[in-house]
Amino acid sequence: FLAGSYAILSPLPAVGGSEGVGEVLEVGRRVAALRPGDSGLGTWRTRGVFPEELLLKVPRDIPVLCAATLSVNPCTAYRMLADFQPLAPGDSVIQNGANSGVGQAVIQIAKASGIKTINVVRDRPDLPKLVERLMALGADHVITEEMLRKPEMKEIFKSIPKPRLALNCVGGKSTTEMLRHLQPKGIMVTYGGMAKQPVTVPVSAFIFRDVQLRGFWMTQWKRDHAQDQQSLASMIDALCQLIRRGQLAAPACTEVPLQDYKVALEASMKPFTSSKQILL
């Protein structure tokens, strides 16, 4: 968004950020109650004035970091697991970028539903530490992109079924390799393109296995459901229930004072950063 390469370009000057949580200090005379609504507001600010229908009321018993990171990543994970492929306990899902905010939410939401996850990450110096952290969240398997082509994959599928759903936020070679392991009639959902490379699919995957490629953007989902506030409210409620039960935690976070935003920006652009920068 800040680099100007996102689908939405705001007229300048603009306020960055799309997630966050704040406290209502004052309300106008005609404000009846805070209603669920689109939370795509710039949040890198100390104060703001909003129409009540643009704000989403968060339960007071939700930890502040969970609330601050609730409106985009966990919602994206929830919708992708719910809307594209009927999944039952024992089914499996494969995803790349598994250490991202969405990836961590997918692991936890799937675990709570009895769905197995195969989680692909880039090789890195601290790989064992990352594997340990994702397994602690509930991951069933954590593998590197290089392992996707190796015979060890057959061992994984001796204990769990091949996935019917793949979630892609990387693009490029990682996506092509992940696609090989989808079941016939499986669906791959792309919600990001961190490698900045196109999604390449072998023709045989379309013809002989009838795989589908779909896309997902949380902002568009909210636009499509603008007149159906109950669907947003029920999703937020379901996620809050998982948080209360200890089945969904905030992603790994680094808290940075707002005035030190440059530090947060620099940290967010470093490779292999698994921590979400939270401005206070």
Side-chain angles (χ1 to χ4, degrees):
F1 183 77
L2 294 176
S5 58
Y6 199 61
I8 298 172
L9 290 176
S10 290
L12 299 175
V15 178
S18 59
E19 295 175 290
V21 66
E23 181 183 0
V24 175
L25 298 178
E26 290 183 65
V27 297
R29 286 192 306 254
R30 288 181 290 178
V31 174
L34 292 178
R35 295 194 297 272
D38 190 354
S39 57
L41 309 163
T43 50
W44 294 18
R45 64 178 91 202
T46 51
R47 284 182 172 80
V49 180
F50 307 103
E52 66 172 321
E53 64 271 9
L54 283 186
L55 298 179
L56 177 68
K57 189 172 182 177
V58 180
R60 286 182 176 273
D61 60 344
I62 300 302
V64 68
L65 286 180
C66 289
T69 55
L70 182 64
S71 65
V72 179
N73 291 169
C75 290
T76 298
Y78 183 93
R79 294 262 61 99
M80 291 194 301
L81 288 170
D83 293 352
F84 292 91
Q85 192 75 288
L87 297 170
D91 284 344
S92 75
V93 172
I94 189 168
Q95 65 166 343
N96 56 22
N99 56 310
S100 66
V102 173
Q104 292 176 59
V106 165
I107 290 169
Q108 295 173 86
I109 296 168
K111 176 77 172 179
S113 304
I115 297 163
K116 309 291 184 183
T117 56
I118 303 162
N119 302 279
V120 185
V121 297
R122 287 183 296 169
D123 199 4
R124 64 193 65 213
D126 63 343
L127 183 64
K129 189 176 176 183
L130 175 62
V131 171
E132 183 181 348
R133 188 156 63 81
L134 296 183
M135 296 294 279
L137 289 178
D140 294 282
H141 298 277
V142 182
I143 61 174
T144 62
E145 292 179 342
E146 291 74 21
M147 276 187 64
L148 282 168
R149 288 213 74 157
K150 292 188 175 175
E152 290 93 319
M153 292 301 294
K154 292 180 180 176
E155 294 299 312
I156 290 177
F157 297 127
K158 285 180 181 176
S159 58
I160 64 174
K162 284 200 166 190
R164 297 168 56 217
L165 180 67
L167 306 176
N168 166 49
C169 69
V170 177
K173 187 179 178 183
S174 163
T175 309
T176 309
E177 300 298 347
M178 198 165 62
L179 196 68
R180 296 178 192 277
H181 301 292
L182 264 188
Q183 282 192 35
K185 297 189 183 298
I187 295 175
M188 174 177 281
V189 182
T190 292
Y191 68 97
M194 290 191 292
K196 294 182 170 61
Q197 295 171 351
V199 172
T200 307
V201 183
V203 171
S204 59
F206 283 128
I207 297 173
F208 302 118
R209 291 196 291 122
D210 192 19
V211 300
Q212 292 184 50
L213 268 61
R214 301 284 303 275
F216 183 77
W217 186 30
M218 194 66 222
T219 300
Q220 189 61 49
W221 186 92
K222 287 180 178 176
R223 288 173 182 168
D224 293 343
H225 295 79
Q227 305 306 314
D228 177 19
Q229 295 295 338
Q230 184 53 42
S231 61
L232 179 62
S234 62
M235 173 174 61
I236 295 297
D237 182 61
L239 292 169
C240 287
Q241 293 286 6
L242 290 174
I243 292 168
R244 289 189 188 98
R245 292 199 294 263
Q247 293 176 305
L248 178 62
C253 292
T254 302
E255 299 178 40
V256 182
L258 182 60
Q259 62 268 27
D260 297 334
Y261 69 91
K262 288 184 180 179
V263 174
L265 273 177
E266 287 169 9
S268 71
M269 291 187 286
K270 287 178 182 172
F272 307 123
T273 301
S274 294
S275 186
K276 203 171 182 72
Q277 304 299 307
I278 302 290
L279 297 176
L280 303 179

